[in-house]
């Protein structure tokens, strides 16, 4: 079969060396006679030559008949999965803003399987050039229906003709995209006669020029013949575009904001690798730590703690604060929260472990200490407290106490104290103070010194300190009562 | 040192490793990775973009990796399912990038609680074709940082996607982390595409039309995977020297099992833990060696049994391999696993540690 051949543009290969088997005299393409892809390849290549962009261009081959675009274009080339070229183009361009990224796709690829990628790349206004070959059919796979197939058109998968009721009508891409704010330039052209081909070439040139000037997203839709898929000879195919396709897909510009956007130069991104610790908020804080704890002889110190209450009580922060303080004191710590929608309006709890030894399971299935800030939490987690364990509960909200006699139950009126301080949200820190005093894992002073590491609002530091003091003092009083 | 969430540590590890592009799509329990990335990538002159879908995100990774950038994305079960096609393309086109999977419970929408049931789709390959992905399984927040950091080196060394496979608990929990020194220089990638004359011949593609060519390409990939199997296997042994029973688990489960080992050892039961750190390549030889010494294996997972298949292959029928799994967001507990450890009292049938009489209850598979 006779094949189309290209008059060689500089950025088209003379011999198709990227083909697996290159015969010495191989100069013809894999496209069928009269196929539109050949035309478009040729003038895309010529435009790249004219504009001197061969070394800057990255060409994306899609899945479809033009999957082998890279055989012909002597350019940096990326072959993308079916429909995903706009996503690939997005990242290529962002990695190399000074490159010229040309995404070349058929209608199945761009408007069918890749509709979402196309829509969003356009909507983001990615400053790339998209060449869209609309041949109203799936060429590569043997002539099945495309999103752009005309109503009534017979294809391998619409043997009786496409119907609006079953398949919907053809998608008009440049009209659709023109409703978005992202694109800068959208035009539909056709490969019918010399005049139209000249226009098509001008449109492609403009779409690439826009990228050179960094103006934004440009897409050219090209009505192109697929004589094989349409079962027509090449001449009839061109007539059919003019007489039938163009009735459904009118030629013209649907968006042109080129003039509204000043040209600029896209610069390569420098690789920043200094001062990373400051930029990433990971500067070593150990200097601020005060490991004033002496390692205990014999008995291993540590706690398996469960903190629970309702969302909004600062339950997770309370647990985190105790872990922070423990870490500052040289303990191994872990904090594991309840997370996700469960927390919205509902209960919140966290597992905290503070230990002198590396921590195995961070899950606290059995707790040594339970901090319960409301009744449902107390009921849910009290059974998991080990015999002889300690429960600190907010007696302002749980007035009727704890129904277990084998544990140490400590009533802290945390909410009441916090209200007295004029800051109801500090009930959690009242509990933290009581915890520090009760367990003596770390000092109350150290807990206060740790506050800035987990309380972000600096204005509240003072009242949180007071809350810790009040909680610790309350605990102190209870301990004295027990002693005497 | 810093107290930090696993998901946040991933982002720090990535940026310190020289990653400068993040493309992602939100999903609990991985969203903090995207949210942290949205803060920190722009700060270091990098790219952060919320893509239109996980399909978009992973194909953006494909593009950025083609351009030679260190790039990553993160997701969880349903999102990882959507990414499989591109992972196959990336393995075929030999593109390095890092994917972090913070596993949640499935199938379907399941729920947002932790599970380990993405093992099959990640370790065995949920995409089409013959390919492998190096898979790292952190079990602490420190490892979330360190393994993510190293994942970029491994991805570049082998020109292959690398997956950090963690579960929701490892992602959500906070522990202390020490951070590695930042990478100031990244490996050259002469094969990548870009706006330079010398890259004009470069082609990123997974197509080999001729069967012989494709077979040669796949064999080349497998030669590479064979090197990974030789060089990259990692695991942690915990009190295995004299172990008669070997526990096997990864991620959060391995943490639970460590406590099990400690508790059981206190009672004089000779049990140890093998924690695979690379799930692929799997520590097959280590398991096989233990099969000569141990009386039995107990594999524990937050799934209905996925990694257990690899353990069984390695043990090759030499000794019994039992399995215990919890699913739906429940994680096996210390007590449950202790119940499964022998010996049970001959007379009463009770477990010497927990007193439980019904060890079989929790066994599946
Ligand atoms: C995920 C996936 N689904 C289906 C295919 C099969 N396939 C290859 S090309 C193609 C259609 C391409 O049609 P179009 O984009 O219109 O390009 P043309 O061949 O007409 O140039 C299809 C369905 C594939 N490669 N990948
Ligand atoms: S099938 Fe159609 S689109 Fe494909 S090469 Fe032939 S004519 Fe061109």
């Amino acid at each position: 079969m006779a094949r189309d051949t290209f008059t060689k543009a500089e950025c088209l290969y003379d011999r198709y060396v990227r083909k697996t088997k290159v015969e010495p005299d191989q100069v013809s393409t894999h496209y069928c006679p009269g196929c539109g892809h050949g035309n478009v390849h040729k003038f895309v290549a010529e435009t790249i030559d004219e504009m001197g962009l061969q070394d800057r261009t990255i060409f994306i081959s899609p899945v479809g008949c033009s999957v082998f675009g890279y055989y012909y274009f002597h350019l940096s080339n990326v072959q993308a999965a079916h429909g995903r070229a706009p996503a690939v183009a997005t990242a290529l361009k962002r990695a190399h803003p000074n490159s010229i990224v040309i995404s070349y796709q058929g209608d199945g690829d761009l408007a069918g399987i890749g509709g979402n990628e196309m829509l969003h790349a356009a909507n983001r206004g990615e400053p790339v050039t998209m060449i869209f070959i609309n041949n109203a059919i799936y060429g590569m796979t043997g002539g099945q229906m495309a999103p752009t197939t005309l109503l009534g058109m017979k294809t391998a998968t619409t043997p009786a003709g496409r119907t609006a009721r079953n398949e919907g009508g053809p998608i008009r891409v440049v009209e659709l995209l023109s409703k978005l704010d992202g694109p800068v330039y959208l035009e539909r052209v056709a490969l019918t006669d010399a005049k139209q081909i000249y226009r098509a070439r001008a449109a492609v040139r403009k779409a690439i020029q826009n990228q050179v000037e960094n103006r934004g997203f440009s897409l050219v839709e090209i009505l192109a013949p697929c004589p094989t898929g349409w079962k027509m000879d090449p001449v009839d195919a061109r007539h059919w575009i003019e007489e039938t396709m163009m009735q459904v897909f009118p030629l013209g510009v649907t968006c042109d904001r080129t003039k509204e956007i000043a040209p600029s130069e896209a610069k390569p991104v420098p690789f920043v690798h200094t001062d990373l610790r400051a930029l990433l908020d990971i500067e070593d804080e150990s200097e601020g730590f005060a490991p004033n704890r002496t390692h205990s002889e014999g008995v291993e110190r540590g706690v398996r703690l469960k903190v629970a209450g309702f969302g909004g009580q600062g339950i997770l922060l309370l647990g985190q604060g105790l872990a922070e303080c423990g870490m500052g004191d040289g303990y191994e710590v872990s904090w594991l929260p309840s997370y996700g929608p469960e927390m919205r309006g509902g209960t919140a709890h966290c597992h905290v472990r503070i230990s002198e030894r590396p921590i195995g399971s961070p899950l606290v299935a059995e707790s040594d200490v339970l901090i319960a800030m409301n009744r449902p939490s107390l009921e849910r987690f009290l059974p998991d407290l080990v015999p002889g364990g300690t429960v600190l509960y907010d007696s302002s909200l749980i007035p009727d106490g704890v129904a277990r006699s084998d544990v140490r139950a400590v009533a802290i009126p945390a909410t009441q104290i916090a209200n007295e301080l004029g800051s109801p949200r500090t009930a959690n820190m009242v509990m933290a103070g009581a915890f520090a005093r009760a367990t003596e894992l770390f000092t109350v002073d150290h807990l206060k010194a740790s506050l800035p590491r987990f309380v972000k609002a600096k204005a509240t530091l003072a009242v949180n300190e007071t809350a810790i003091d009040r909680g610790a003092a309350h605990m102190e009083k209870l301990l004295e009562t027990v002693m005497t | 040192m810093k107290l930090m969430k696993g998901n946040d540590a991933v982002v720090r590890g990535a940026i310190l490793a020289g990653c400068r592009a993040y493309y992602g799509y939100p999903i609990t329990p991985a969203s903090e990775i995207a949210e942290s990335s949205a803060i920190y990538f722009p700060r270091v002159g990098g790219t952060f973009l919320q893509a239109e879908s996980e399909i978009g995100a992973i194909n953006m990774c494909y593009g950025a990796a083609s351009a030679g950038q260190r790039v990553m994305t993160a997701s969880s079960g349903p999102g990882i399912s959507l990414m499989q096609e591109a992972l196959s393309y990336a393995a075929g086109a030999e593109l390095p990038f890092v994917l972090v999977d913070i596993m949640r419970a499935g199938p379907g929408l399941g729920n947002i609680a932790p599970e380990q049931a993405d093992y099959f789709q990640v370790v065995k390959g949920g995409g089409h074709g013959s390919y492998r992905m190096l898979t790292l399984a952190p079990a602490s927040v420190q490892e979330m940082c360190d393994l993510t950091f190293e994942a970029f080196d491994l991805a570049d060394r082998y020109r292959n996607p690398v997956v950090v496979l963690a579960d929701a608990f490892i992602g959500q929990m906070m522990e202390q982390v020490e951070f590695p020194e930042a990478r100031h220089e990244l490996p050259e990638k002469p094969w990548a595409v870009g706006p330079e004359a010398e890259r004009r011949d470069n082609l990123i593609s997974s197509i080999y039309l001729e069967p012989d060519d494709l077979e040669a390409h796949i064999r080349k990939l497998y030669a590479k995977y064979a090197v990974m199997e030789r060089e990259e296997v990692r695991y942690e042994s915990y009190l295995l020297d004299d172990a008669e029973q070997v526990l096997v688990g990864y991620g959060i489960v391995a943490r639970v099992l460590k406590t099990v080992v400690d508790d059981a050892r206190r009672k004089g039961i000779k049990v140890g833990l093998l924690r695979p750190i690379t799930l692929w390549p799997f520590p097959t030889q280590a398991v096989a060696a233990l099969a000569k010494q141990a009386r039995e294996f107990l594999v524990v997972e937050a799934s209905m049994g996925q990694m257990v298949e690899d353990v069984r292959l390695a043990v090759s029928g030499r000794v019994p391999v039992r399995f215990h799994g919890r699913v739906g967001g429940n994680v096996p507990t210390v007590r449950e696993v202790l119940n499964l450890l022998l010996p049970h009292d001959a007379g009463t049938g009770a477990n010497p540690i927990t007193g439980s009489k019904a060890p079989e209850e929790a066994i599946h598979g």
Side-chain angles (χ1 to χ4, degrees):
Chain A
M1 185 167 41
R3 299 273 179 167
D4 275 7
T5 59
F6 297 142
T7 351
K8 295 294 176 269
E10 198 42 39
C11 78
L12 291 172
Y13 279 108
D14 291 332
R15 286 180 60 236
Y16 304 136
V17 291
R18 280 171 172 168
K19 241 175 151 164
T20 38
K21 289 206 174 107
V22 188
E23 289 102 46
D25 61 340
Q26 190 158 17
V27 288
S28 58
T29 73
H30 75 289
Y31 295 116
C32 311
C35 173
H37 283 301
N39 278 124
V40 180
H41 281 23
K42 191 160 175 277
F43 59 71
V44 167
E46 285 166 2
T47 309
I48 292 170
D49 278 3
E50 282 160 33
M51 299 173 78
L53 298 175
Q54 184 176 14
D55 294 337
R56 279 172 68 191
T57 302
I58 304 172
F59 187 88
I60 305 177
S61 310
V63 171
C65 279
S66 48
V67 62
F68 298 119
Y70 63 84
Y71 283 176
Y72 312 118
F73 288 98
H74 190 177
L75 300 168
S76 246
N77 196 303
V78 179
Q79 199 288 313
H82 197 16
R84 316 305 173 207
V88 174
T90 295
L92 283 169
K93 185 69 181 178
R94 286 171 186 239
H96 295 305
N98 52 330
S99 64
I100 300 299
V101 175
I102 298 180
S103 173
Y104 185 109
Q105 297 178 265
D107 40 32
D109 200 73
L110 180 135
I113 194 167
N116 203 33
E117 285 74 22
M118 175 259 308
L119 193 70
H120 287 271
N123 192 52
R124 289 189 300 263
E126 299 294 342
V128 298
T129 304
M130 310 249 300
I131 309 288
F132 168 38
I133 306 297
N134 177 356
N135 58 15
I137 203 139
Y138 281 19
M140 177 79 157
T141 38
Q144 300 86 357
M145 185 191 74
T148 45
T149 293
L150 306 189
L151 287 176
M153 194 171 154
K154 288 186 177 147
T155 72
T157 48
T158 53
R162 181 176 188 163
T163 62
R165 215 175 46 137
N166 201 45
E167 291 92 9
I171 293 182
R172 295 181 186 85
V173 169
V174 286
E175 285 84 354
L176 189 71
L177 295 186
S178 71
K179 304 293 179 222
L180 302 175
D181 295 335
V184 162
Y185 169 57
L186 303 166
E187 181 169 1
R188 182 182 291 118
V189 295
L191 304 180
T192 47
D193 52 26
K195 194 171 119 212
Q196 293 301 349
I197 290 176
Y198 182 80
R199 286 204 177 143
R201 175 194 282 273
V204 165
R205 187 183 171 87
K206 177 163 174 162
I208 296 176
Q209 183 68 29
N210 275 354
Q211 188 172 177
V212 170
E213 293 168 359
N214 199 28
R215 289 187 206 253
F217 182 92
S218 302
L219 180 145
V220 182
E221 173 173 341
I222 304 173
L223 304 184
C226 171
T228 307
W230 298 351
K231 301 190 175 60
M232 288 180 200
D233 72 48
V235 176
D236 291 346
R238 300 216 176 221
H239 285 147
W240 188 77
I241 295 178
E242 198 163 358
E243 282 148 25
T244 313
M245 248 185 125
M246 277 162 54
Q247 309 308 310
V248 180
F249 297 109
L251 305 191
V253 174
T254 61
C255 161
D256 192 357
R257 287 190 262 267
T258 309
K259 294 238 164 60
E260 295 164 28
I261 294 154
S264 63
E265 198 188 332
K267 301 235 166 55
V269 255
F271 179 61
V272 178
H273 57 87
T274 49
D275 295 330
L276 285 188
R277 281 183 145 60
L279 291 168
L280 297 179
D281 297 329
I282 52 169
E283 277 158 318
D284 196 8
E285 287 175 345
S286 344
E287 279 175 28
F289 295 169
N292 50 5
R293 181 176 63 90
T294 47
H295 271 266
S296 40
E297 300 274 319
V299 208
E300 217 172 81
R301 294 205 304 174
V303 70
R304 295 171 299 174
L305 165 68
K306 187 63 98 15
V307 189
F310 54 81
Q313 278 184 314
I315 297 300
L316 301 186
L317 193 70
L318 166 53
Q320 191 193 328
L322 298 175
E324 282 278 4
C325 187
M327 181 179 79
D329 239 357
Y331 289 100
E332 303 275 338
V333 299
S334 66
W335 170 93
L336 180 66
S338 56
Y339 60 87
E342 189 196 348
M343 288 162 58
R344 278 170 216 140
T347 61
H349 69 265
C350 57
H351 311 238
V352 179
R353 289 204 54 187
I354 300 175
S355 171
E356 289 190 329
R357 276 179 22 91
I359 292 166
S361 176
L363 289 151
V364 176
E366 291 174 353
S367 58
D368 307 311
V369 177
L370 166 65
I371 298 179
M373 300 284 284
N374 67 357
R375 171 149 293 285
S377 307
L378 182 72
E379 281 165 5
R380 179 165 167 202
F381 295 112
L382 188 62
D384 302 334
L385 190 62
V386 296
T390 302
V391 49
L392 302 169
Y393 65 97
D394 188 340
S395 53
S396 326
L397 303 179
I398 315 171
D400 42 350
V402 172
R404 249 182 87 172
S405 53
D406 61 339
V407 297
R408 181 166 71 140
V410 183
I412 308 286
T415 299
Q416 190 195 320
I417 293 175
N419 286 341
E420 283 165 22
L421 294 175
S423 180
R425 295 176 67 110
T426 59
N428 57 352
M429 289 302 123
V430 175
M431 276 299 192
F435 173 89
R437 183 62 197 86
T439 63
E440 294 190 307
L441 281 169
F442 35 71
T443 65
V444 173
D445 282 345
H446 187 218
L447 178 60
K448 287 191 288 183
S450 307
L451 270 173
R453 288 216 303 275
F454 60 93
V455 173
K456 296 283 171 276
K458 301 298 164 215
T460 66
L461 285 178
V463 66
N464 277 308
E465 278 191 28
T466 313
I468 289 173
D469 278 333
R470 289 287 304 272
H474 192 90
M475 190 69 219
E476 183 73 45
K477 228 173 17 209
L478 291 175
L479 288 170
E480 278 165 15
T481 325
V482 175
M483 301 291 211
T484 49
Chain B
M1 207 198 297
K2 190 123 185 141
L3 188 68
M4 190 176 279
K5 266 195 180 192
N7 283 348
D8 293 326
V10 160
V11 177
R12 307 315 207 283
I15 292 176
L16 290 169
C19 177
R20 289 296 178 275
Y22 185 99
Y23 294 97
Y25 191 83
I27 183 168
T28 312
S31 292
E32 292 88 354
I33 302 181
E35 290 165 10
S36 254
S37 294
I39 295 171
Y40 293 108
F41 276 80
R43 269 201 205 172
V44 299
T47 300
F48 170 84
L49 182 63
Q50 178 169 328
E52 57 273 16
S53 68
E54 289 86 351
I55 297 176
I58 194 78
N59 282 283
M60 289 171 190
C61 289
Y62 184 97
S66 300
Q69 241 183 346
R70 284 194 162 182
V71 58
M72 72 174 294
T73 187
S75 188
S76 186
I80 305 296
S81 301
L82 281 179
M83 292 177 176
Q84 295 298 342
E85 182 201 34
L87 292 172
S88 161
Y89 269 75
E94 297 191 86
L95 288 177
F97 55 72
V98 174
L99 163 63
V100 179
D101 178 0
I102 308 295
M103 290 182 280
R104 60 186 249 171
L109 203 47
N111 65 33
I112 59 169
E115 238 189 34
Q116 297 181 316
D118 285 357
Y119 186 94
F120 280 161
Q121 71 162 335
V122 168
V123 174
K124 301 296 171 184
H128 55 288
S130 300
Y131 74 98
R132 290 293 192 181
M133 293 190 296
L134 220 148
T135 306
L136 305 168
S140 65
V141 176
Q142 184 67 55
E143 282 190 349
M144 285 291 261
C145 174
D146 294 348
L147 293 180
T148 304
F149 185 97
E150 288 178 57
F152 286 93
D153 289 342
L154 290 166
D156 282 345
R157 184 175 314 147
Y158 293 105
R159 279 190 63 181
N160 206 67
V162 173
V163 184
V164 175
L165 187 66
D167 51 79
F169 275 162
I170 299 294
Q172 292 294 326
M173 73 191 236
M174 278 187 160
E175 288 182 316
Q176 58 260 60
V177 197
E178 285 189 68
F179 297 94
E181 274 305 310
R183 283 262 181 281
H184 298 297
E185 268 177 65
L186 300 181
E188 291 292 328
K189 296 181 182 175
W191 50 265
V193 299
E196 290 116 31
E198 61 272 21
R199 298 189 185 271
R200 195 196 281 176
D201 292 326
N202 291 356
L203 167 65
I204 307 295
S205 164
S206 56
I207 314 173
Y208 294 84
L209 216 51
E210 297 290 331
D212 287 348
D213 294 337
L214 183 54
E215 180 162 8
H217 174 63
I218 294 170
R219 288 193 185 283
K220 190 188 99 186
L221 296 181
Y222 273 71
K224 188 169 83 173
Y225 302 152
V227 178
M228 295 184 200
E229 289 185 273
R230 219 167 44 234
E231 313 263 330
E232 306 301 345
V233 173
R234 287 195 220 179
Y235 56 90
E236 181 191 352
S237 308
Y238 186 61
L239 303 181
L240 279 172
D241 284 348
D242 61 343
E244 291 169 0
Q245 295 178 80
V246 177
L247 298 174
V248 189
Y250 68 99
I252 187 67
V253 171
R255 297 291 296 269
V256 172
L257 295 182
K258 248 190 189 170
T259 299
V260 169
V261 170
D262 289 342
D263 288 0
R265 286 264 169 186
R266 250 178 249 128
K267 302 276 178 181
I269 298 182
K270 288 187 175 165
V271 53
L273 167 68
L274 180 83
R275 173 174 77 91
I277 298 173
T278 50
L279 297 177
W280 198 91
F282 192 75
T284 303
Q285 284 172 13
V287 172
L290 285 166
K292 291 187 189 137
Q293 144 203 335
R295 204 161 30 124
E296 67 156 8
F297 283 73
L298 174 57
V299 180
V300 185
E301 295 178 60
S303 82
M304 290 303 283
Q306 301 197 355
M307 180 183 70
V308 64
E309 295 191 358
D310 285 326
V311 176
R312 288 206 168 112
L313 279 173
V315 168
S316 213
R318 262 199 209 96
V319 290
V321 177
R322 291 195 293 156
F323 175 72
H324 174 61
R326 292 294 305 275
V327 287
N330 290 316
V331 168
T333 65
V334 172
R335 182 163 270 269
E336 278 168 14
V337 182
L338 281 173
N339 269 345
L340 295 169
L341 293 179
L342 303 175
H344 282 252
D345 185 283
T348 64
N351 181 290
I353 304 176
T354 63
S356 160
K357 286 189 187 174
E360 299 83 4
E361 248 168 42
I363 305 177
H364 315 276

